[in-house]
Amino acid sequence: MCVLCYELAPEDHWTDGVSVGETADMPGRPRYRRTRILSAVLAPYGLTVSDPGKGAHRVIADRKGSAEVAAALPAVWQAAERLSSRTIDVLDPHLLAALAPDDPA
């Protein structure tokens, strides 16, 4: 995707907003956390997620070198399904078990 299309893509989604407890002294921290969570969810599907650091965009890539820029969370799921050729089920019990911490305490 060219820079112009990237910049003209739809902006913010409510999930990319300010998190509770976020302050000016920790810019980007909640955003980084959300990107890590997306990475963990999409890794079992053979996908990676990166954050260019500007706007609500994420880059979703597969292991074959294909990638898509996704603006906001709904587009992330759509891009992930196109790149993986599988239905992404974030409520899959096996995925949730893999994401659960080993020590619940």
Side-chain angles (χ1 to χ4, degrees):
M1 176 180 281
C2 74
V3 174
L4 180 59
C5 292
Y6 172 82
E7 289 300 325
L8 292 176
E11 286 299 318
D12 305 325
H13 185 262
W14 67 268
T15 59
D16 293 315
V18 177
S19 298
V20 174
E22 183 178 350
T23 62
D25 63 331
M26 50 181 184
R29 187 172 174 191
R31 182 184 176 105
Y32 173 71
R33 187 185 81 243
R34 287 189 297 270
T35 301
R36 276 194 353 251
I37 292 168
L38 281 172
S39 295
V41 168
L42 295 179
Y45 296 94
L47 302 172
T48 60
V49 180
S50 59
D51 182 355
K54 184 178 180 194
H57 303 86
R58 303 293 189 279
V59 178
I60 314 302
D62 65 13
R63 294 178 182 149
K64 299 176 224 165
S66 297
E68 289 191 31
V69 175
L73 194 55
V76 168
W77 302 132
Q78 293 167 355
E81 287 189 353
R82 279 191 299 272
L83 289 168
S84 72
S85 299
R86 294 169 49 194
T87 300
I88 306 296
D89 181 4
V90 296
L91 298 177
D92 175 14
H94 299 305
L95 176 62
L96 293 175
L99 295 173
D102 293 332
D103 182 15

